[in-house]
Amino acid sequence: MKKMLGVFLVVIFLGSCKKEVSPIEITAGDYHNAMDRLTNIMVHDIFSPPVASRIYAYSNIAAYEVLVKGNNDLRSFSHTYKDFEPIPEPDSTVTINYQLAALIAHIEMGKQLIFSENEILTYRDSLYSSWEKLNKEEFEVSKSYGIQVATHVANWKNKDNYNETRTLPKFSIYSDEAHRWQPTPPLYMDGIEPHWAKIRTFSLDSASQFQPGSPPEFSLDKSSKFRQELMEVYSIRHSLDSLGDDSEELEMARFWDCNPYVSTQRGHLMFATKKITPGGHWLGITKIASKKKNLDFDNTVYAYTATSLAIADAFISCWDEKYKRELIRPETLINSFVDENWTPVLQTPPFPEYPSGHSVVSGAAATVLTQLFGEDFSYEDDTEVPYGLPVRSFTSFHQAANEAALSRLYGGIHYRSAIEDGLTQGLSLGAFVVKDLNLQPLNL
């Protein structure tokens, strides 16, 4: 009897010494870190702006749709996705940490879309190890659901025509038409993503739903509007030279450059400077706004997802028009007909001129962010600090969009019509996305 009582007391003692398991806490900061890690890998891998926007969109969609299952205040955006089947229902017999599952879905989705898989695996495995130590059971069931949703979204992603566009012919540059785009210095690269308009849209009905109008009729006659816009680009460059290297206009141009691959030549040596894309910059602004507003995890993902959807559709819309117009860049015409030694402030990107991609994307992103955070949302934009550029201050998202658009004129890579028409196109597209997604202000 005494022996049995002793065993009983030992069992009670061991049970009382058992370590209590705490829930795994996932914060908005964890999601910002995941987005930063994805961006850094994309910069390393040198994804073009359109392709980068696709990566952001699918990664955020996977995370957001997970959260919808655990938060009755969130509404799925799946009604707007083309050919999208609802995500799998969670197992009701287990307790899922939806924030954890969402973050895992984001990471797993991103892993499938980048090249440097080892970089994201190292990051993921470090997180997995720490979460498993905190609460193995919660981690395993949440991971299982996160991966299940990521797989579901990946299957849908694989049907967006991206893989098909990898096999289509390059953009043909052989033409006698004077207005037609030609490769530009220093690498004279082929036009990138000439078939991007074939990518399935997210909110838009089609790639051509929002068109910017038409650029001035091509003419090198001195009295033509096109020639006047060409000479404006040429003259502004010379004006900037007289203002000095620290002028506001030059700082603006450099701040919004967002060219993922700038080739620099020094003597016989040529090297690349890597930067974020325009979409990456605007999602950096989304991070700044979310942190200033102190959004929780769910609303942070909401803001990222809505903005990335607008950016992705903006690139599809813009690229549709670019390769329909095939308009030649200012640098090519100025070197051929005005001044062979003229160079733009920024390196001309390798794709047709009209409309300005920065203008379309900035207009769309600013419209979504204004709906979420308000008209007069001032902030300090430090997105470009890691790339050696200073902080710039803005009183609203639309002020930033206007500056981003105008910066392309100071950079010497766009005519005024491409800038103004592109901005109008982006604003209209953004307003459509706001309505289509039924975006609600974040009144927190």
Side-chain angles (χ1 to χ4, degrees):
M1 184 72 177
K2 289 181 179 180
K3 186 176 180 180
M4 291 180 62
L5 180 60
V7 172
F8 179 69
L9 291 173
V10 169
V11 171
I12 293 176
F13 174 76
L14 291 176
S16 66
C17 292
K18 186 178 180 181
K19 183 180 179 181
E20 291 189 10
V21 178
S22 301
I24 300 173
E25 183 181 0
I26 303 297
T27 68
D30 294 319
Y31 201 80
H32 292 313
N33 290 339
M35 282 290 290
D36 288 345
R37 184 59 62 103
L38 183 62
T39 294
N40 291 339
I41 294 172
M42 289 162 63
V43 169
H44 175 272
D45 288 347
I46 317 177
F47 285 102
S48 70
V51 176
S53 73
R54 177 177 179 265
I55 296 172
Y56 284 127
Y58 283 117
S59 299
N60 285 315
I61 285 171
Y64 180 74
E65 294 301 327
V66 168
L67 291 179
V68 171
K69 295 299 182 181
N71 186 338
N72 292 329
D73 292 331
L74 296 179
R75 190 176 70 91
S76 172
F77 294 151
S78 60
H79 70 281
T80 195
Y81 309 146
K82 312 300 183 296
D83 308 316
F84 185 78
E85 296 293 331
I87 66 171
E89 289 294 326
D91 185 349
S92 60
T93 65
V94 298
T95 302
I96 295 172
N97 180 330
Y98 286 99
Q99 284 77 26
L100 176 57
L103 185 54
I104 289 172
H106 180 276
I107 294 170
E108 293 293 335
M109 194 73 240
K111 178 173 68 70
Q112 298 184 38
L113 291 160
I114 47 87
F115 297 144
S116 299
E117 189 173 318
N118 285 338
E119 294 291 325
I120 207 164
L121 282 175
T122 300
Y123 171 68
R124 182 201 70 178
D125 291 347
S126 174
L127 292 175
Y128 277 13
S129 177
S130 64
W131 292 331
E132 188 173 28
K133 290 175 183 176
L134 287 172
N135 190 325
K136 182 176 175 60
E137 182 179 355
E138 182 182 40
F139 166 66
E140 290 294 344
V141 297
S142 302
K143 181 180 78 168
S144 177
Y145 188 60
I147 292 176
Q148 187 180 11
V149 172
T151 302
H152 181 87
V153 174
N155 290 334
W156 171 59
K157 162 190 70 70
N158 291 337
K159 301 172 185 176
D160 72 352
N161 300 322
Y162 176 80
N163 293 331
E164 289 77 1
T165 62
R166 302 307 91 185
T167 64
L168 295 175
K170 295 180 180 180
F171 178 62
S172 173
I173 61 172
Y174 302 102
S175 174
D176 294 329
E177 297 175 275
H179 77 275
R180 203 161 183 256
W181 179 84
Q182 299 174 30
T184 49
L187 295 181
Y188 297 92
M189 294 172 61
D190 292 326
I192 65 168
E193 301 299 341
H195 307 289
W196 199 251
K198 296 180 175 66
I199 300 295
R200 181 184 58 207
T201 56
F202 292 92
S203 270
L204 301 189
D205 298 332
S206 69
S208 60
Q209 183 176 351
F210 290 94
Q211 297 178 325
S214 300
E217 183 179 357
F218 179 83
S219 172
L220 294 178
D221 186 283
K222 290 184 179 181
S223 62
S224 71
K225 188 174 189 301
F226 182 88
R227 171 77 180 211
Q228 290 168 8
E229 290 198 6
L230 174 68
M231 295 309 295
E232 180 183 27
V233 177
Y234 175 74
S235 300
I236 283 176
R237 179 70 175 95
H238 288 291
S239 298
L240 294 179
D241 286 341
S242 65
L243 292 175
D245 197 53
D246 59 349
S247 70
E248 174 71 5
E249 293 83 357
L250 282 174
E251 288 188 1
M252 188 187 302
R254 292 170 184 143
F255 183 79
W256 292 103
D257 185 16
C258 301
N259 187 339
Y261 185 92
V262 175
S263 178
T264 303
Q265 187 167 0
R266 292 179 182 171
H268 297 292
L269 179 66
M270 182 172 286
F271 58 92
T273 301
K274 300 178 182 180
K275 302 178 183 178
I276 55 173
T277 61
H281 190 135
W282 277 101
L283 288 169
I285 294 172
T286 306
K287 172 186 173 181
I288 293 167
S290 298
K291 293 178 75 172
K292 180 176 179 179
K293 198 79 171 178
N294 197 28
L295 298 187
D296 62 14
F297 184 92
D298 289 15
N299 280 297
T300 293
V301 179
Y302 179 79
Y304 272 126
T305 305
T307 308
S308 64
L309 287 173
I311 290 169
D313 271 352
F315 272 110
I316 296 172
S317 177
C318 179
W319 252 243
D320 177 60
E321 191 70 15
K322 276 185 178 293
Y323 282 96
K324 282 179 180 176
R325 298 291 176 181
E326 300 180 359
L327 187 59
I328 196 166
R329 289 278 184 172
E331 182 175 15
T332 306
L333 288 178
I334 291 172
N335 287 164
S336 298
F337 298 102
V338 183
D339 182 351
E340 64 180 8
N341 297 315
W342 184 92
T343 57
V345 169
L346 303 178
Q347 192 168 115
T348 301
F351 37 81
E353 192 271 345
Y354 184 90
S356 158
H358 269 57
S359 301
V360 180
V361 169
S362 296
T367 301
V368 167
L369 289 171
T370 299
Q371 174 68 10
L372 296 177
F373 294 98
E375 287 282 351
D376 301 316
F377 192 94
S378 61
Y379 63 95
E380 303 290 311
D381 188 351
D382 61 357
T383 308
E384 298 288 341
V385 168
Y387 308 98
L389 295 168
V391 173
R392 288 186 71 81
S393 301
F394 299 98
T395 58
S396 71
F397 301 113
H398 283 304
Q399 183 205 7
N402 290 335
E403 181 177 293
L406 188 58
S407 74
R408 313 309 274 172
L409 184 62
Y410 297 139
I413 58 178
H414 275 296
Y415 312 110
R416 186 174 290 276
S417 289
I419 292 166
E420 295 178 350
D421 293 355
L423 188 59
T424 300
Q425 179 183 0
L427 294 173
S428 299
L429 188 153
F432 176 85
V433 171
V434 166
K435 183 177 180 181
D436 188 53
L437 299 182
N438 191 26
L439 295 181
Q440 302 301 311
L442 295 167
N443 297 320
L444 302 175

